[in-house]
Amino acid sequence: MEVPGLLKVLALISDYVTVKFTMTQSQFDLSPELIRHYRVIPLEKINDILKLGMINPSDQNAIDAVTFHTGLKIFPTLIAEDQFNQFIKLFFNEKDSDNNLKLSLLHHIKDDTANIVQENTVNYDEPLIQFVDNLIQHALQQDCSDIHIEPYDKICRIRYRRDGMLAVIAEIPTHLASRLVSRLKILAQLDISERRIPQDGRFIFQTIDIRINTCPTVFGEKVVLRLLNANKLALDIDTLGFNQTQKNLFIHKISQPHGMILVTGPTGSGKTVTLYSALHYLNKIEKNISTVENPVEIQLAGVNQVNINPKIGLDFLTVLRAFLRQDPDILMVGEIRDKETAEVTIQAANTGHLVLSTLHTNTAIEAISRLLSMGIVPYNIINSISLIISQRLVRKLCAHCKKPETITTDILTQLEFQKILPSTVIYHPIGCHLCLNGYRGRTGIYELLPLTEKITHLILTQRNIAVIKQQAESEGFYSLYQAGIEKILNGTTSINEVQRVIYQ
């Protein structure tokens, strides 16, 4: 593993240290764990002498440990603590941190059959508790949205989802997995003795809301943790990813006193953030805003929010009917899943309320056919819905390492979009210590379909979706792919990323 930025860090450490080459870990066999534990920095290796930066050069234990691990003679050099911290930030990339996480568990919990948790027993030792805390803390530091704990025959795989992509963070012995799962169940107040059926729960970790779901598999319980870090959500319309035309249309429609705004897209496409950004924009003291969700993912001050609980009869329909008797101005329904919920929300939109909701369709135009297939009559659709949005999330190119390239004929063919000039410069990912495979963060791409007079006429005459799409395009409809092309041309993302998200 090469030491990234080593020369830069060493230049900060001392004017008296001269480094002539960048070392690799294999040259002195000094593990990241040892560097962190003894707070030392390998500076330079000359023959059999290792010049070692130390916060405390008189720490003989550290010198002995490094001598033992490297077989080299140690020449201690004084460094400041802030210089050591700066080195750590640049030295340890994400992959190293992942390995450290795995090693910390294996270091503290011995692979001993005497310690294996039996069917209905739990042994919560301090190292395991610390590992669970470190696992969640590390995921939060990496801006991950989910943690997957997956038991298999010989190992248990732990994966993070970051920017929509899953990556392996650690692999641990399967007998440790049951202890890990039991610890998480305790945190969420779930039944640790029940391993045959799925369970849902939640717990708070350092003010972060974490949802947990367990599911029995062939080799044990799979656990998925959803990290709902509301502290990092801007809930600002300007940060969603709309272009200026889309933003103006969105604000115009949500500012109307009545009607329905539908946001469509697959799970994980950012629909909830879009809806809550709208609610945040509309959240004024003179407005009565209520939401019904399953579950409430973002808590917003000044908004009445209800979690449904079908086990006690508290479903979408029951809560909606209650809200309509409480003088609402704005209603947000987490998802329209059936005809009954669709009819009540449409009724609310037709009787002077602004209604925001989501629907699981791939495109904005397909939402019309979905409602028709539910049994909603065309007349109610055109009288209630004012705007349909479809969206996806694409990863943004890292600003520090993205590389420009001029569009070629082959790229033009790949884009299938002939309005681009061949001389246009686009970018593709490279990868550096500040990003993940050349990407860092995500942004939205959108298509917005207002129900204009001609489109509503086509819906009333029950014309097919292709005809409605053709009419929308003649009125300037901007498809998801065109929105993706725009993000490619302005250097926000890459061709492969847009095609992965739209055509996956």
Side-chain angles (χ1 to χ4, degrees):
M1 176 193 68
E2 291 200 0
V3 184
L6 182 60
L7 293 175
K8 177 181 177 182
V9 177
L10 294 177
L12 298 173
I13 291 177
S14 173
D15 293 334
Y16 304 101
V17 177
T18 302
V19 180
K20 297 180 180 179
F21 59 93
T22 300
M23 291 197 301
T24 66
Q25 182 179 328
S26 60
Q27 286 176 285
F28 50 83
D29 194 23
L30 202 57
S31 70
E33 289 72 36
L34 191 146
I35 289 174
R36 275 199 173 108
H37 181 75
Y38 290 106
R39 302 178 70 76
V40 297
I41 300 175
L43 300 180
E44 185 178 12
K45 176 179 174 290
I46 304 175
N47 298 325
D48 62 344
I49 297 175
L50 175 63
K51 190 175 291 185
L52 191 69
M54 305 178 65
I55 294 177
N56 179 14
S58 63
D59 186 351
Q60 190 59 46
N61 289 334
I63 294 174
D64 291 344
V66 175
T67 300
F68 175 79
H69 280 85
T70 63
L72 301 173
K73 297 177 182 178
I74 304 303
F75 182 82
T77 302
L78 177 65
I79 59 172
E81 185 167 359
D82 59 342
Q83 294 164 342
F84 172 82
N85 293 334
Q86 178 69 14
F87 174 85
I88 290 296
K89 287 181 181 179
L90 293 179
F91 182 88
F92 295 106
N93 59 24
E94 183 178 332
K95 184 175 180 181
D96 298 327
S97 301
D98 297 344
N99 290 333
N100 294 338
L101 197 62
K102 175 180 65 176
L103 291 172
S104 69
L105 177 66
L106 301 181
H107 174 74
H108 291 293
I109 305 177
K110 295 181 180 179
D111 186 2
D112 185 357
T113 55
N115 291 331
I116 298 178
V117 179
Q118 302 302 322
E119 182 66 23
N120 289 309
T121 63
V122 184
N123 179 17
Y124 296 125
D125 49 3
E126 182 62 30
L128 178 65
I129 295 174
Q130 182 180 355
F131 174 76
V132 171
D133 291 346
N134 289 341
L135 179 71
I136 299 173
Q137 182 64 49
H138 182 243
L140 292 170
Q141 291 172 349
Q142 299 297 323
D143 292 328
C144 299
S145 61
D146 304 87
I147 303 174
H148 291 239
I149 300 169
E150 304 164 316
Y152 295 100
D153 185 17
K154 296 181 180 179
I155 57 98
C156 175
R157 183 175 68 179
I158 300 177
R159 294 191 291 174
Y160 286 169
R161 187 179 293 278
R162 177 180 171 188
D163 293 339
M165 304 293 287
L166 280 170
V168 176
I169 190 68
E171 291 180 350
I172 62 175
T174 52
H175 74 268
L176 298 180
S178 59
R179 300 170 66 181
L180 182 59
V181 171
S182 295
R183 171 59 185 165
L184 291 169
K185 283 184 173 182
I186 288 291
L187 289 173
Q189 298 183 344
L190 300 179
D191 185 354
I192 61 174
S193 65
E194 180 57 76
R195 302 179 181 180
R196 301 165 300 173
I197 60 175
Q199 296 187 66
D200 290 291
R202 61 178 291 188
F203 61 93
I204 303 298
F205 180 86
Q206 299 178 359
T207 74
I208 305 302
D209 189 12
I210 298 180
R211 307 296 168 90
I212 178 174
N213 175 266
T214 70
C215 184
T217 67
V218 173
F219 297 108
E221 290 179 282
K222 173 176 178 176
V223 176
V224 176
L225 303 178
R226 170 63 59 89
L227 313 180
L228 303 174
N229 192 353
N231 298 328
K232 290 194 174 183
L233 291 177
L235 297 183
D236 187 345
I237 292 175
D238 287 330
T239 65
L240 292 176
F242 290 127
N243 61 31
Q244 192 60 46
T245 301
Q246 292 173 332
K247 175 187 170 184
N248 293 341
L249 177 60
F250 182 67
I251 291 177
H252 171 68
K253 293 297 183 181
I254 66 174
S255 299
Q256 294 178 347
H258 57 82
M260 182 186 290
I261 312 293
L262 279 179
V263 182
T264 73
T267 301
S269 58
K271 300 187 296 295
T272 300
V273 173
T274 299
L275 289 178
Y276 266 95
S277 296
L279 291 181
H280 183 264
Y281 178 85
L282 298 169
N283 192 11
K284 311 295 182 195
I285 193 65
E286 64 271 13
K287 297 292 185 181
N288 178 17
I289 305 176
S290 300
T291 76
V292 51
E293 304 168 71
N294 181 27
V296 173
E297 295 189 12
I298 302 170
Q299 296 182 7
L300 194 59
V303 175
N304 310 291
Q305 299 171 275
V306 177
N307 268 318
I308 70 165
N309 187 351
K311 293 181 180 179
I312 61 172
L314 190 67
D315 54 21
F316 279 108
L317 208 55
T318 302
V319 177
L320 272 174
R321 286 171 175 163
F323 278 159
L324 289 174
R325 294 191 292 269
Q326 295 200 337
D327 187 31
D329 294 299
I330 302 169
L331 297 173
M332 196 270 272
V333 182
E335 182 184 351
I336 295 177
R337 297 183 179 181
D338 51 53
K339 181 181 179 181
E340 290 76 16
T341 306
E343 286 177 338
V344 174
T345 54
I346 285 174
Q347 179 188 356
N350 284 334
T351 53
H353 308 96
L354 179 66
V355 181
L356 310 177
S357 190
T358 70
L359 198 64
H360 280 289
T361 62
N362 289 325
T363 66
I365 293 176
E366 287 177 11
I368 298 172
S369 61
R370 176 70 187 278
L371 291 172
L372 290 172
S373 68
M374 284 183 178
I376 307 301
V377 298
Y379 178 80
N380 282 335
I381 293 176
I382 67 171
N383 278 329
S384 60
I385 298 176
S386 58
L387 179 67
I388 304 175
I389 303 169
S390 183
Q391 69 176 81
R392 301 289 189 278
L393 291 176
V394 295
R395 292 178 296 169
K396 296 191 292 184
L397 288 165
C398 175
H400 295 87
C401 66
K402 64 181 182 181
K403 184 177 180 180
E405 63 175 326
T406 302
I407 289 184
T408 63
T409 304
D410 291 339
I411 294 177
L412 279 176
T413 303
Q414 182 182 359
L415 287 176
E416 299 176 355
F417 195 67
Q418 303 304 320
K419 296 181 180 179
I420 304 172
L421 297 175
S423 60
T424 303
V425 173
I426 60 173
Y427 295 84
H428 65 266
I430 297 297
C432 67
H433 67 284
L434 296 174
C435 65
L436 181 63
N437 300 325
Y439 297 95
R440 186 174 184 178
R442 290 192 291 177
T443 188
I445 55 174
Y446 303 85
E447 58 182 28
L448 278 67
L449 177 70
L451 267 63
T452 62
E453 182 178 348
K454 291 184 178 180
I455 290 176
T456 56
H457 175 73
L458 290 175
I459 295 173
L460 277 176
T461 55
Q462 298 185 4
R463 303 295 291 271
N464 62 45
I465 296 301
V467 176
I468 295 175
K469 181 180 180 182
Q470 186 177 8
Q471 176 59 40
E473 289 175 345
S474 70
E475 297 180 13
F477 174 71
Y478 210 60
S479 71
L480 277 173
Y481 189 64
Q482 288 171 305
I485 293 293
E486 185 177 64
K487 288 289 194 294
I488 293 170
L489 296 181
N490 64 24
T492 301
T493 191
S494 67
I495 295 174
N496 290 339
E497 176 65 7
V498 169
Q499 294 182 335
R500 179 190 70 84
V501 168
I502 294 181
Y503 298 129
Q504 63 181 354

